[in-house]
Amino acid sequence: MHPLDLIILYGYPPLPSHYRLILLTAYNSEPQIMVQGNSARRKELAAGRRQDCKDEIERKKAGAARVTPAEARARLLDFGTKNSAKSSMIAWSVNPTSSSASCWCAAYFRDGACPRGKRCKLNHEESIAHLACPSAVFAETLPALVRGQLEAVQAGGKLVYNSKLRTQRREKSSLYFVEYNNALVFDAENPQCFEQWAAGVTMQKKPEEDNDNAVDNATVGDGGGGPDIKIHIGPAPLSKNERRKMKKESTQSKPPK
Ligand SMILES: [Zn+2]
């Protein structure tokens, strides 16, 4: 214990009051440093939160290339509803009832063949090798998955407040793959997979795209409609309705696909 502590605690030797004040100030020097440390930490946390916001904006700007599993699921289901194909969208998500001991072999699941062959200790039961998909770089193992309707599966991966970091962090998502029309349209480990599907859908939509669809695209893609305006600009300034009419006529004259 510091000798100053004793003086303050026991008030001995008796000191004039202004002395005690000086001593108390000296004693308090340590807590003051701590306060400074806290403010530095607060600044650091605030900077972290600002960076998180920036990252999230960047992510949203990137559109289909950086969707979260939940966003991909929502967009697939939206497409499914509009094209009455919802029931043929199949999800592979983490099996909540299985223990972590029974990991799946990612190579076997994806390609139907495993470089380790019979020496592989991972589960070789299920495979999606028959589905068309872009090649991916992937981890060696997968958690035990379960196949089910995309509509019935929650993707998880919500933003949750982390009290230690004092900001939101995304939880791990349980959605790993989505298959539709004999193709893989979502792969949690390969963003290209969903991006390709989304690009394909946009291409199909183009001929009969109207303003409503352009707005719809913008919800995920952000900034849709730009090239659309360029294509349909007429020689004279036309009203919105006139332009729409022209667009309709031009698409009708094209041979149907
Ligand atoms: Zn294997």
Side-chain angles (χ1 to χ4, degrees), residues 99-186:
S99 69
S100 58
S102 55
C103 272
W104 286 15
C105 174
Y108 185 84
F109 183 74
R110 286 168 175 276
D111 307 328
C114 169
R116 291 174 292 273
K118 280 181 182 167
R119 285 176 297 125
C120 184
K121 290 193 169 65
L122 300 163
N123 188 307
H124 276 195
E125 269 172 40
E126 303 274 3
S127 175
I128 53 164
H130 60 286
L131 302 173
C133 66
S135 60
V137 179
F138 51 86
E140 194 177 293
T141 63
L142 284 168
L145 302 176
V146 63
R147 194 173 185 272
Q149 295 252 316
L150 178 62
E151 200 182 356
V153 168
Q154 287 304 314
K158 287 196 181 95
L159 279 173
V160 171
Y161 185 77
N162 179 321
S163 59
K164 210 171 183 181
L165 298 166
R166 301 199 204 169
T167 183
Q168 290 182 316
R169 279 286 174 270
R170 219 169 269 288
E171 283 185 324
K172 214 170 157 22
S173 165
S174 57
L175 184 63
Y176 272 70
F177 304 98
V178 179
E179 51 177 280
Y180 168 64
N181 242 354
N182 270 328
L184 201 63
V185 291
F186 174 78

Coordinates of all heavy atoms in Angstrom, one line a residue, residues 99-186:
S99 N -24.9 -34.1 -34.7 CA -23.7 -33.7 -33.9 C -22.6 -33.3 -34.8 O -22.5 -33.6 -36.0 CB -23.3 -34.9 -33.0 OG -22.7 -35.9 -33.8
S100 N -21.6 -32.5 -34.2 CA -20.5 -32.0 -35.0 C -19.6 -33.1 -35.4 O -18.7 -32.9 -36.3 CB -19.8 -30.9 -34.2 OG -19.3 -31.5 -33.0
A101 N -19.7 -34.3 -34.8 CA -18.8 -35.4 -35.1 C -18.9 -35.9 -36.6 O -18.0 -36.4 -37.2 CB -19.0 -36.5 -34.1
S102 N -20.1 -35.8 -37.1 CA -20.4 -36.4 -38.4 C -20.3 -35.4 -39.5 O -21.2 -35.0 -40.2 CB -21.7 -37.0 -38.4 OG -22.7 -36.1 -38.1
C103 N -19.0 -34.9 -39.8 CA -18.8 -33.9 -40.9 C -18.9 -34.6 -42.2 O -18.5 -35.7 -42.4 CB -17.5 -33.2 -40.7 SG -17.5 -31.8 -39.6
W104 N -19.3 -33.8 -43.2 CA -19.5 -34.3 -44.6 C -18.2 -34.0 -45.3 O -17.6 -32.9 -45.1 CB -20.7 -33.7 -45.3 CG -22.0 -34.2 -44.8 CD1 -22.2 -35.0 -43.7 CD2 -23.2 -34.1 -45.4 NE1 -23.5 -35.3 -43.6 CE2 -24.2 -34.8 -44.7 CE3 -23.7 -33.4 -46.6 CZ2 -25.5 -34.8 -45.0 CZ3 -25.0 -33.5 -46.9 CH2 -25.9 -34.2 -46.1
C105 N -17.9 -34.8 -46.3 CA -16.7 -34.6 -47.2 C -17.2 -33.6 -48.3 O -18.0 -33.9 -49.1 CB -16.3 -35.9 -47.8 SG -15.0 -35.7 -49.0
A106 N -16.6 -32.4 -48.3 CA -17.0 -31.4 -49.3 C -16.7 -31.8 -50.7 O -17.5 -31.6 -51.6 CB -16.3 -30.1 -48.9
A107 N -15.6 -32.4 -50.9 CA -15.2 -32.9 -52.3 C -16.2 -33.9 -52.8 O -16.6 -33.8 -53.9 CB -13.8 -33.5 -52.3
Y108 N -16.6 -34.9 -52.0 CA -17.5 -35.9 -52.4 C -18.9 -35.3 -52.6 O -19.6 -35.5 -53.6 CB -17.6 -37.0 -51.4 CG -18.5 -38.1 -51.9 CD1 -18.0 -39.1 -52.7 CD2 -19.9 -38.2 -51.6 CE1 -18.8 -40.1 -53.2 CE2 -20.7 -39.1 -52.1 CZ -20.2 -40.1 -52.9 OH -21.0 -41.1 -53.4
F109 N -19.3 -34.4 -51.7 CA -20.6 -33.8 -51.9 C -20.7 -33.0 -53.1 O -21.7 -33.0 -53.9 CB -20.9 -32.9 -50.7 CG -22.3 -32.3 -50.7 CD1 -23.4 -33.0 -50.4 CD2 -22.5 -30.9 -51.0 CE1 -24.7 -32.5 -50.4 CE2 -23.7 -30.4 -51.0 CZ -24.8 -31.1 -50.7
R110 N -19.7 -32.2 -53.5 CA -19.7 -31.3 -54.6 C -19.4 -32.1 -55.9 O -20.1 -31.8 -56.9 CB -18.7 -30.2 -54.5 CG -19.1 -29.2 -53.5 CD -17.9 -28.3 -53.2 NE -18.2 -27.2 -52.3 CZ -18.8 -26.0 -52.7 NH1 -19.0 -25.8 -54.0 NH2 -19.1 -25.1 -51.8
D111 N -18.4 -32.9 -55.9 CA -18.0 -33.5 -57.2 C -18.3 -35.0 -57.3 O -18.1 -35.6 -58.4 CB -16.4 -33.4 -57.3 CG -16.0 -32.0 -57.1 OD1 -16.8 -31.1 -57.5 OD2 -14.9 -31.7 -56.6
G112 N -18.8 -35.6 -56.3 CA -19.2 -37.1 -56.4 C -17.9 -38.0 -56.3 O -18.0 -39.2 -56.4
A113 N -16.8 -37.4 -56.1 CA -15.5 -38.1 -56.0 C -14.6 -37.4 -55.0 O -14.7 -36.2 -54.9 CB -14.8 -38.2 -57.4
C114 N -13.8 -38.3 -54.3 CA -13.0 -37.7 -53.2 C -11.6 -38.0 -53.5 O -11.3 -39.2 -53.7 CB -13.5 -38.2 -51.9 SG -12.4 -37.8 -50.6
P115 N -10.6 -37.1 -53.5 CA -9.2 -37.4 -53.7 C -8.6 -38.4 -52.7 O -7.7 -39.1 -53.0 CB -8.5 -36.1 -53.7 CG -9.4 -35.2 -52.9 CD -10.8 -35.7 -53.2
R116 N -9.2 -38.5 -51.5 CA -8.7 -39.4 -50.5 C -9.2 -40.8 -50.6 O -8.8 -41.7 -50.0 CB -9.0 -38.8 -49.1 CG -8.3 -37.5 -48.8 CD -8.7 -37.0 -47.5 NE -10.1 -36.5 -47.6 CZ -10.4 -35.2 -48.0 NH1 -9.5 -34.4 -48.3 NH2 -11.7 -34.8 -48.0
G117 N -10.3 -40.9 -51.5 CA -10.8 -42.3 -51.7 C -11.3 -42.9 -50.4 O -12.0 -42.3 -49.6
K118 N -11.0 -44.2 -50.3 CA -11.5 -45.0 -49.1 C -10.8 -44.6 -47.8 O -11.3 -44.9 -46.7 CB -11.3 -46.5 -49.4 CG -12.4 -47.0 -50.3 CD -12.2 -48.5 -50.5 CE -13.3 -49.1 -51.4 NZ -13.0 -50.4 -51.9
R119 N -9.7 -43.9 -47.9 CA -9.0 -43.4 -46.7 C -9.7 -42.3 -46.0 O -9.5 -41.9 -44.9 CB -7.6 -43.0 -47.0 CG -6.6 -44.2 -47.3 CD -5.3 -43.7 -47.7 NE -5.3 -42.9 -48.9 CZ -4.9 -41.7 -49.1 NH1 -4.3 -41.1 -48.1 NH2 -4.9 -41.1 -50.2
C120 N -10.7 -41.6 -46.8 CA -11.4 -40.5 -46.3 C -12.3 -40.9 -45.1 O -13.1 -41.8 -45.2 CB -12.2 -39.8 -47.4 SG -13.0 -38.3 -46.8
K121 N -12.2 -40.1 -44.0 CA -13.0 -40.5 -42.8 C -14.3 -39.7 -42.8 O -15.1 -39.9 -41.8 CB -12.1 -40.2 -41.6 CG -11.0 -41.3 -41.4 CD -10.4 -41.2 -40.0 CE -9.4 -42.4 -39.8 NZ -8.3 -42.3 -40.7
L122 N -14.4 -38.8 -43.7 CA -15.6 -37.9 -43.7 C -16.8 -38.7 -44.4 O -16.6 -39.6 -45.1 CB -15.3 -36.6 -44.4 CG -14.2 -35.8 -43.8 CD1 -13.7 -34.7 -44.7 CD2 -14.7 -35.1 -42.5
N123 N -18.0 -38.1 -44.1 CA -19.2 -38.8 -44.6 C -19.3 -38.6 -46.1 O -19.2 -37.5 -46.7 CB -20.4 -38.1 -43.9 CG -21.7 -38.7 -44.2 OD1 -22.1 -38.9 -45.4 ND2 -22.4 -39.1 -43.2
H124 N -19.6 -39.8 -46.8 CA -19.7 -39.8 -48.3 C -21.1 -40.3 -48.7 O -21.2 -41.1 -49.6 CB -18.7 -40.8 -48.9 CG -17.3 -40.2 -49.1 ND1 -16.3 -40.8 -49.8 CD2 -16.7 -39.1 -48.6 CE1 -15.2 -40.1 -49.8 NE2 -15.5 -39.1 -49.1
E125 N -22.1 -39.8 -48.1 CA -23.5 -40.3 -48.4 C -24.2 -39.5 -49.5 O -24.7 -40.0 -50.4 CB -24.3 -40.3 -47.2 CG -24.2 -41.7 -46.5 CD -24.9 -41.7 -45.1 OE1 -26.0 -41.1 -45.0 OE2 -24.3 -42.2 -44.2
E126 N -24.2 -38.2 -49.3 CA -24.9 -37.3 -50.3 C -24.0 -36.6 -51.2 O -22.8 -36.4 -50.9 CB -25.7 -36.3 -49.5 CG -26.6 -36.8 -48.4 CD -28.0 -37.2 -49.0 OE1 -28.2 -37.0 -50.2 OE2 -28.8 -37.6 -48.2
S127 N -24.6 -36.3 -52.4 CA -23.8 -35.6 -53.4 C -24.7 -34.7 -54.3 O -25.8 -35.1 -54.6 CB -23.0 -36.5 -54.2 OG -22.3 -35.8 -55.3
I128 N -24.2 -33.6 -54.7 CA -24.9 -32.7 -55.7 C -24.1 -32.6 -57.0 O -24.3 -31.6 -57.7 CB -25.2 -31.3 -55.1 CG1 -23.9 -30.7 -54.6 CG2 -26.3 -31.4 -54.0 CD1 -24.0 -29.2 -54.4
A129 N -23.3 -33.6 -57.2 CA -22.4 -33.6 -58.4 C -23.2 -33.5 -59.7 O -22.7 -33.0 -60.7 CB -21.5 -34.8 -58.4
H130 N -24.5 -33.9 -59.7 CA -25.3 -33.9 -61.0 C -25.7 -32.5 -61.3 O -26.2 -32.3 -62.4 CB -26.5 -34.8 -60.8 CG -27.4 -34.4 -59.7 ND1 -27.1 -34.6 -58.4 CD2 -28.6 -33.8 -59.7 CE1 -28.0 -34.1 -57.6 NE2 -29.0 -33.6 -58.4
L131 N -25.6 -31.5 -60.4 CA -26.1 -30.2 -60.7 C -25.0 -29.4 -61.4 O -23.8 -29.5 -61.1 CB -26.4 -29.5 -59.4 CG -27.5 -30.1 -58.5 CD1 -27.6 -29.4 -57.2 CD2 -28.8 -30.1 -59.2
A132 N -25.5 -28.5 -62.3 CA -24.6 -27.6 -63.0 C -24.2 -26.5 -62.1 O -25.0 -26.0 -61.4 CB -25.3 -27.0 -64.3
C133 N -22.9 -26.2 -62.0 CA -22.5 -25.1 -61.1 C -21.1 -24.6 -61.5 O -20.3 -25.4 -62.1 CB -22.5 -25.6 -59.7 SG -21.3 -26.8 -59.3
P134 N -20.8 -23.4 -61.3 CA -19.4 -22.9 -61.5 C -18.5 -23.5 -60.5 O -18.8 -23.8 -59.4 CB -19.5 -21.4 -61.3 CG -20.7 -21.2 -60.4 CD -21.6 -22.3 -60.7
S135 N -17.2 -23.7 -61.0 CA -16.2 -24.3 -60.1 C -15.9 -23.4 -58.9 O -15.9 -22.2 -59.1 CB -15.0 -24.7 -60.8 OG -14.4 -23.5 -61.4
A136 N -15.6 -24.0 -57.8 CA -15.4 -23.2 -56.6 C -14.2 -23.7 -55.8 O -13.8 -24.8 -55.9 CB -16.7 -23.3 -55.7
V137 N -13.7 -22.7 -55.0 CA -12.7 -23.1 -54.0 C -13.4 -23.3 -52.7 O -14.2 -22.5 -52.4 CB -11.6 -22.0 -53.9 CG1 -10.6 -22.4 -52.8 CG2 -11.0 -21.7 -55.2
F138 N -13.2 -24.5 -52.1 CA -14.1 -24.7 -50.9 C -13.3 -25.4 -49.8 O -12.2 -26.0 -50.0 CB -15.3 -25.5 -51.3 CG -15.0 -26.8 -52.1 CD1 -14.6 -28.0 -51.4 CD2 -15.0 -26.8 -53.5 CE1 -14.3 -29.1 -52.1 CE2 -14.7 -27.9 -54.2 CZ -14.3 -29.1 -53.5
A139 N -13.9 -25.3 -48.6 CA -13.3 -26.0 -47.4 C -13.4 -27.5 -47.5 O -14.2 -28.0 -48.3 CB -13.9 -25.5 -46.2
E140 N -12.6 -28.2 -46.8 CA -12.5 -29.6 -46.8 C -13.8 -30.3 -46.3 O -14.2 -31.3 -46.9 CB -11.3 -30.1 -46.0 CG -10.9 -31.6 -46.3 CD -9.7 -32.0 -45.5 OE1 -8.6 -31.4 -45.8 OE2 -9.8 -32.8 -44.6
T141 N -14.3 -29.7 -45.3 CA -15.5 -30.3 -44.7 C -16.8 -29.5 -44.8 O -16.7 -28.2 -44.9 CB -15.3 -30.6 -43.2 OG1 -15.1 -29.4 -42.5 CG2 -14.1 -31.6 -43.0
L142 N -17.9 -30.1 -44.6 CA -19.2 -29.4 -44.5 C -19.8 -29.9 -43.3 O -19.6 -31.1 -42.9 CB -20.1 -29.8 -45.7 CG -19.8 -29.1 -47.1 CD1 -20.6 -29.8 -48.2 CD2 -20.1 -27.6 -47.0
P143 N -20.6 -29.1 -42.6 CA -21.4 -29.7 -41.5 C -22.5 -30.6 -42.1 O -22.8 -30.5 -43.3 CB -22.1 -28.5 -40.9 CG -22.1 -27.4 -42.0 CD -20.9 -27.7 -42.9
A144 N -23.0 -31.5 -41.3 CA -24.1 -32.4 -41.8 C -25.2 -31.5 -42.3 O -25.7 -30.6 -41.5 CB -24.5 -33.3 -40.7
L145 N -25.7 -31.7 -43.5 CA -26.7 -30.9 -44.1 C -28.0 -31.7 -44.2 O -28.0 -32.9 -44.1 CB -26.3 -30.4 -45.4 CG -25.0 -29.5 -45.5 CD1 -24.7 -29.2 -46.9 CD2 -25.1 -28.3 -44.7
V146 N -29.1 -30.9 -44.4 CA -30.4 -31.6 -44.6 C -31.0 -30.9 -45.8 O -30.9 -29.7 -46.0 CB -31.2 -31.6 -43.3 CG1 -31.6 -30.2 -42.9 CG2 -32.5 -32.4 -43.5
R147 N -31.7 -31.7 -46.7 CA -32.3 -31.2 -47.9 C -33.7 -30.9 -47.6 O -34.5 -31.7 -47.0 CB -32.2 -32.3 -49.0 CG -32.5 -31.9 -50.4 CD -32.1 -33.0 -51.3 NE -32.3 -32.7 -52.7 CZ -33.4 -32.8 -53.4 NH1 -34.5 -33.2 -52.8 NH2 -33.5 -32.4 -54.7
G148 N -34.2 -29.7 -48.1 CA -35.6 -29.4 -47.9 C -36.0 -28.2 -48.7 O -35.2 -27.6 -49.5
Q149 N -37.3 -27.9 -48.7 CA -37.8 -26.7 -49.5 C -37.2 -25.4 -49.0 O -37.1 -25.2 -47.8 CB -39.3 -26.7 -49.3 CG -40.0 -27.8 -49.8 CD -40.8 -27.5 -51.1 OE1 -41.5 -26.4 -51.1 NE2 -40.7 -28.3 -52.1
L150 N -36.7 -24.6 -49.9 CA -36.1 -23.4 -49.6 C -37.0 -22.5 -48.7 O -36.6 -21.9 -47.8 CB -35.7 -22.6 -50.8 CG -35.0 -21.2 -50.6 CD1 -33.8 -21.3 -49.8 CD2 -34.8 -20.5 -51.9
E151 N -38.3 -22.6 -49.1 CA -39.3 -21.7 -48.4 C -39.4 -22.1 -46.9 O -39.6 -21.2 -46.1 CB -40.7 -22.0 -49.1 CG -41.7 -20.9 -48.8 CD -43.0 -21.2 -49.5 OE1 -43.1 -22.3 -50.2 OE2 -43.9 -20.5 -49.3
A152 N -39.2 -23.4 -46.6 CA -39.4 -23.8 -45.2 C -38.1 -23.6 -44.4 O -38.1 -23.9 -43.2 CB -39.8 -25.3 -45.2
V153 N -37.0 -23.2 -45.0 CA -35.7 -23.1 -44.3 C -35.4 -21.6 -44.0 O -35.6 -20.8 -44.9 CB -34.6 -23.7 -45.1 CG1 -33.3 -23.4 -44.6 CG2 -34.8 -25.2 -45.2
Q154 N -35.0 -21.3 -42.8 CA -34.5 -20.0 -42.5 C -33.0 -19.9 -42.7 O -32.3 -20.8 -42.4 CB -34.9 -19.6 -41.0 CG -36.4 -19.3 -40.8 CD -36.9 -18.3 -41.7 OE1 -36.4 -17.2 -41.9 NE2 -38.1 -18.6 -42.3
A155 N -32.6 -18.8 -43.3 CA -31.2 -18.7 -43.7 C -30.3 -18.3 -42.5 O -29.1 -18.6 -42.4 CB -31.0 -17.7 -44.8
G156 N -30.9 -17.6 -41.5 CA -30.1 -17.1 -40.4 C -29.2 -16.1 -40.8 O -29.5 -15.3 -41.8
G157 N -28.0 -15.9 -40.1 CA -27.0 -15.0 -40.5 C -27.5 -13.5 -40.2 O -27.1 -12.6 -41.0
K158 N -28.3 -13.4 -39.2 CA -28.8 -12.0 -38.8 C -27.7 -11.2 -38.2 O -26.7 -11.7 -37.6 CB -29.9 -12.1 -37.8 CG -31.2 -12.6 -38.5 CD -32.4 -12.4 -37.5 CE -33.7 -12.9 -38.1 NZ -34.1 -14.2 -37.7
L159 N -27.9 -9.9 -38.3 CA -27.0 -9.0 -37.6 C -27.4 -9.0 -36.1 O -28.5 -8.7 -35.8 CB -27.1 -7.5 -38.1 CG -26.3 -7.3 -39.4 CD1 -26.7 -5.9 -40.0 CD2 -24.8 -7.3 -39.2
V160 N -26.4 -9.3 -35.2 CA -26.7 -9.3 -33.8 C -25.7 -8.4 -33.0 O -24.6 -8.4 -33.4 CB -26.6 -10.8 -33.3 CG1 -26.7 -10.9 -31.8 CG2 -27.7 -11.6 -34.0
Y161 N -26.3 -7.7 -32.1 CA -25.4 -6.8 -31.3 C -24.4 -7.6 -30.4 O -24.8 -8.5 -29.7 CB -26.3 -5.9 -30.4 CG -25.5 -4.9 -29.7 CD1 -25.1 -3.8 -30.3 CD2 -25.2 -5.1 -28.3 CE1 -24.3 -2.8 -29.6 CE2 -24.5 -4.1 -27.6 CZ -24.0 -3.0 -28.3 OH -23.3 -2.0 -27.6
N162 N -23.2 -7.2 -30.6 CA -22.1 -7.9 -29.8 C -21.7 -6.9 -28.7 O -21.1 -5.8 -29.0 CB -21.0 -8.2 -30.7 CG -19.8 -8.9 -30.0 OD1 -19.4 -8.5 -28.9 ND2 -19.2 -9.8 -30.7
S163 N -21.9 -7.2 -27.4 CA -21.7 -6.2 -26.4 C -20.2 -6.0 -26.2 O -19.8 -4.9 -25.7 CB -22.4 -6.7 -25.1 OG -21.8 -7.9 -24.7
K164 N -19.4 -6.9 -26.5 CA -18.0 -6.7 -26.3 C -17.4 -5.7 -27.4 O -16.6 -4.9 -27.1 CB -17.3 -8.1 -26.5 CG -16.0 -8.2 -25.7 CD -15.5 -9.6 -25.7 CE -14.3 -9.8 -24.8 NZ -13.8 -11.2 -24.9
L165 N -17.8 -5.9 -28.6 CA -17.4 -5.0 -29.7 C -18.3 -3.8 -29.8 O -17.9 -2.8 -30.5 CB -17.4 -5.8 -31.0 CG -16.5 -7.0 -31.2 CD1 -16.9 -7.8 -32.4 CD2 -15.1 -6.6 -31.2
R166 N -19.4 -3.8 -29.1 CA -20.4 -2.7 -29.1 C -20.8 -2.3 -30.5 O -20.9 -1.2 -30.9 CB -19.8 -1.5 -28.4 CG -19.5 -1.8 -26.9 CD -19.4 -0.6 -26.1 NE -18.5 -0.9 -24.9 CZ -18.1 0.0 -24.1 NH1 -18.3 1.3 -24.3 NH2 -17.3 -0.3 -23.1
T167 N -21.0 -3.3 -31.3 CA -21.5 -3.1 -32.7 C -22.2 -4.4 -33.1 O -22.1 -5.4 -32.4 CB -20.4 -2.7 -33.6 OG1 -20.9 -2.4 -34.9 CG2 -19.3 -3.8 -33.8
Q168 N -22.8 -4.4 -34.3 CA -23.5 -5.6 -34.7 C -22.5 -6.5 -35.5 O -21.6 -6.0 -36.2 CB -24.6 -5.2 -35.7 CG -25.8 -4.5 -34.9 CD -26.9 -4.1 -35.8 OE1 -26.7 -3.6 -36.9 NE2 -28.1 -4.4 -35.4
R169 N -22.7 -7.7 -35.3 CA -21.9 -8.7 -36.1 C -22.9 -9.7 -36.7 O -23.9 -10.1 -36.1 CB -20.9 -9.5 -35.2 CG -19.7 -8.7 -34.9 CD -18.8 -8.7 -36.1 NE -17.6 -7.8 -35.9 CZ -17.6 -6.5 -36.3 NH1 -18.7 -5.9 -36.8 NH2 -16.5 -5.7 -36.1
R170 N -22.6 -10.2 -37.9 CA -23.4 -11.2 -38.5 C -23.2 -12.6 -37.9 O -22.1 -13.0 -37.8 CB -23.2 -11.2 -40.0 CG -24.4 -11.3 -40.9 CD -24.1 -11.1 -42.3 NE -24.3 -9.7 -42.7 CZ -25.5 -9.0 -42.8 NH1 -26.6 -9.7 -42.5 NH2 -25.6 -7.8 -43.1
E171 N -24.3 -13.2 -37.6 CA -24.2 -14.6 -37.1 C -24.0 -15.5 -38.3 O -24.2 -15.2 -39.4 CB -25.6 -15.0 -36.5 CG -25.8 -14.5 -35.1 CD -27.1 -15.0 -34.5 OE1 -28.0 -15.2 -35.2 OE2 -27.1 -15.2 -33.3
K172 N -23.5 -16.7 -38.0 CA -23.2 -17.7 -39.1 C -24.6 -18.1 -39.7 O -25.5 -18.4 -38.9 CB -22.5 -18.9 -38.5 CG -21.5 -19.4 -39.6 CD -20.6 -20.4 -39.0 CE -20.0 -21.4 -40.1 NZ -20.0 -20.9 -41.5
S173 N -24.6 -18.2 -41.0 CA -25.9 -18.7 -41.6 C -25.9 -20.2 -41.7 O -24.9 -20.8 -41.8 CB -25.9 -18.1 -43.0 OG -26.9 -18.7 -43.8
S174 N -27.1 -20.7 -41.7 CA -27.3 -22.2 -41.8 C -27.5 -22.6 -43.3 O -27.5 -23.8 -43.5 CB -28.4 -22.6 -40.9 OG -29.6 -21.9 -41.3
L175 N -27.7 -21.7 -44.2 CA -28.0 -22.0 -45.6 C -26.7 -22.2 -46.4 O -25.9 -21.3 -46.4 CB -28.9 -20.9 -46.2 CG -29.4 -21.2 -47.6 CD1 -30.3 -22.4 -47.7 CD2 -30.1 -20.0 -48.2
Y176 N -26.5 -23.4 -46.9 CA -25.3 -23.7 -47.6 C -25.4 -23.7 -49.2 O -24.6 -23.1 -49.9 CB -24.6 -25.0 -47.2 CG -23.7 -24.8 -46.0 CD1 -24.3 -24.4 -44.7 CD2 -22.4 -24.8 -46.1 CE1 -23.4 -24.1 -43.7 CE2 -21.5 -24.6 -45.0 CZ -22.1 -24.2 -43.8 OH -21.2 -24.0 -42.8
F177 N -26.5 -24.4 -49.6 CA -26.7 -24.5 -51.1 C -28.2 -24.4 -51.4 O -29.0 -24.7 -50.6 CB -26.2 -25.9 -51.6 CG -24.8 -26.2 -51.3 CD1 -24.5 -27.0 -50.2 CD2 -23.8 -25.7 -52.0 CE1 -23.2 -27.3 -49.8 CE2 -22.4 -26.0 -51.7 CZ -22.1 -26.8 -50.6
V178 N -28.5 -23.9 -52.6 CA -29.8 -23.9 -53.1 C -29.7 -24.5 -54.5 O -28.9 -24.1 -55.4 CB -30.5 -22.5 -53.2 CG1 -31.9 -22.7 -53.8 CG2 -30.6 -21.9 -51.8
E179 N -30.6 -25.5 -54.8 CA -30.6 -26.1 -56.2 C -32.0 -25.7 -56.8 O -33.0 -25.7 -56.1 CB -30.4 -27.6 -56.2 CG -31.2 -28.4 -55.2 CD -31.0 -29.9 -55.3 OE1 -31.5 -30.5 -56.2 OE2 -30.2 -30.4 -54.5
Y180 N -31.9 -25.5 -58.1 CA -33.2 -25.1 -58.8 C -32.9 -25.5 -60.3 O -31.9 -25.1 -60.8 CB -33.5 -23.6 -58.6 CG -34.5 -23.1 -59.6 CD1 -35.9 -23.6 -59.5 CD2 -34.2 -22.2 -60.5 CE1 -36.8 -23.1 -60.4 CE2 -35.2 -21.7 -61.4 CZ -36.5 -22.2 -61.3 OH -37.4 -21.7 -62.2
N181 N -33.9 -26.2 -60.9 CA -33.8 -26.4 -62.3 C -32.5 -27.2 -62.7 O -31.8 -26.9 -63.6 CB -33.8 -25.1 -63.1 CG -35.0 -25.1 -64.0 OD1 -35.7 -26.0 -64.1 ND2 -35.2 -23.9 -64.6
N182 N -32.1 -28.2 -61.9 CA -30.9 -29.0 -62.1 C -29.6 -28.2 -62.1 O -28.7 -28.5 -62.8 CB -31.0 -29.7 -63.5 CG -31.6 -31.1 -63.3 OD1 -31.4 -31.7 -62.2 ND2 -32.4 -31.5 -64.2
A183 N -29.7 -27.1 -61.4 CA -28.4 -26.3 -61.3 C -28.3 -25.8 -59.9 O -29.3 -25.7 -59.1 CB -28.5 -25.1 -62.3
L184 N -27.1 -25.5 -59.5 CA -26.8 -24.9 -58.2 C -27.0 -23.4 -58.4 O -26.3 -22.8 -59.2 CB -25.4 -25.3 -57.7 CG -25.1 -25.2 -56.2 CD1 -26.0 -26.1 -55.5 CD2 -23.7 -25.5 -56.0
V185 N -27.9 -22.8 -57.6 CA -28.1 -21.3 -57.8 C -27.6 -20.5 -56.6 O -27.5 -19.3 -56.7 CB -29.5 -21.0 -58.1 CG1 -30.0 -21.5 -59.5 CG2 -30.5 -21.5 -57.0
F186 N -27.3 -21.2 -55.6 CA -26.6 -20.5 -54.4 C -25.6 -21.4 -53.8 O -25.9 -22.6 -53.5 CB -27.7 -20.1 -53.4 CG -27.0 -19.5 -52.1 CD1 -26.5 -18.2 -52.1 CD2 -26.9 -20.2 -51.0 CE1 -25.9 -17.7 -51.0 CE2 -26.3 -19.7 -49.8 CZ -25.8 -18.4 -49.9

